[in-house]
């Protein structure tokens, strides 16, 4: 598969590259929609607190627990990193235009995304055995706003051993790829299009 990102302005736009760039753009739009948890067209701190609360509630994890606090702090750091990198006008929120304009920037809160991903993957490892089970994965994904069918397809791709579970570190890395990479050949890209498309 041809790999072209939105931040590759020098690549000639033939038909195939246009399709790939369109696919990356679709994922950017979906990422923004998922993070914009109240649907008002802007990202702000309350969106991230709301997302964290929804996932914790779906998995029955108290906010006050160690995992609950890690998830809340991970979401808050994710927001702080995005705001520092993408809030061009300094109004304390991120518009879709700001999000799309600067997402290819390598300064896109790399460590903040990693902290967020690590806390989420650890949360969904309900028995702390180092693996994420399929049902818990789907509960987390649907609580986050992703369609169940697409999420199930992502799980199948990540479950390389076919034993119905994913190593925590493997999923954490996939979360980082979803939020930082514009590549269209990663498992998470299935979230943009129906699994049978």
């Amino acid at each position: 598969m041809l790999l072209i990102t939105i931040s590759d302005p020098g690549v000639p736009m033939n038909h195939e590259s246009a399709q790939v760039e369109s696919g990356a753009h679709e994922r950017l739009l979906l990422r923004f929609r998922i993070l914009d948890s109240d649907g008002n067209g802007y990202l702000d701190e309350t969106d991230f607190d709301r997302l964290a609360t929804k996932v914790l509630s779906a998995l029955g994890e108290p906010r006050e627990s160690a995992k609950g606090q890690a998830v809340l702090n991970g979401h808050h750091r994710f927001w702080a990193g995005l705001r520092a990198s993408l809030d061009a006008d300094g109004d304390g929120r991120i518009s879709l235009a700001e999000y799309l304009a600067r997402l290819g920037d390598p300064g896109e809160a790399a460590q903040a995304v990693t902290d967020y991903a690590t806390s989420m993957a650890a949360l969904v490892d309900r028995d702390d055995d180092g693996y994420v089970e399929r049902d818990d994965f789907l509960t987390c994904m649907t609580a986050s706003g992703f369609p169940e069918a697409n999420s199930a397809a992502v799980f199948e791709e990540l479950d390389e051993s076919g034993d119905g579970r994913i190593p925590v570190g493997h999923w954490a890395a996939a979360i980082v790829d979803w939020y930082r990479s514009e590549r269209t050949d990663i498992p998470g890209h299935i979230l943009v299009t129906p699994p049978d498309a």
Side-chain angles (χ1 to χ4, degrees), residues 42-44 79-80 82-95 97-99 102:
Y42 294 90
L43 306 184
D44 59 33
W79 160 245
L82 288 177
R83 179 181 176 182
S85 298
L86 306 180
D87 181 16
D89 61 8
D91 66 351
R93 60 184 187 171
I94 299 168
S95 68
E98 288 173 319
Y99 191 81
R102 302 188 63 188

Side-chain angles (χ1 to χ4, degrees), residues 8-9 11 25-26 40 51 77 80 117 120 124 136 147 161 165 167 173:
D8 292 335
V11 178
H25 184 73
E26 287 296 316
N40 71 348
L51 282 169
R77 284 194 295 270
M120 287 289 282
V124 185
D136 296 325
S161 64
R165 59 185 193 164

Side-chain angles (χ1 to χ4, degrees), residues 95-161:
S95 68
L96 177 59
E98 288 173 319
Y99 191 81
L100 294 177
R102 302 188 63 188
L103 248 291
D105 191 323
E108 188 217 341
Q111 188 57 49
V113 176
T114 300
D115 291 344
Y116 160 82
T118 300
S119 69
M120 287 289 282
L123 167 70
V124 185
D125 175 13
R126 302 307 294 154
D127 58 5
D128 297 318
D129 67 348
Y131 292 90
V132 171
E133 307 292 335
R134 185 178 188 277
D135 287 349
D136 296 325
F137 178 91
L138 294 180
T139 297
C140 177
M141 293 293 285
T142 55
S144 298
F146 295 104
E148 183 172 355
N150 299 59
S151 300
V154 172
F155 185 89
E156 297 306 318
E157 285 215 16
L158 292 174
D159 181 16
E160 297 173 351
S161 64

Side-chain angles (χ1 to χ4, degrees), residues 8 33 47 50 121:
D8 292 335
R33 182 180 66 78
D47 285 316
R50 188 179 299 109

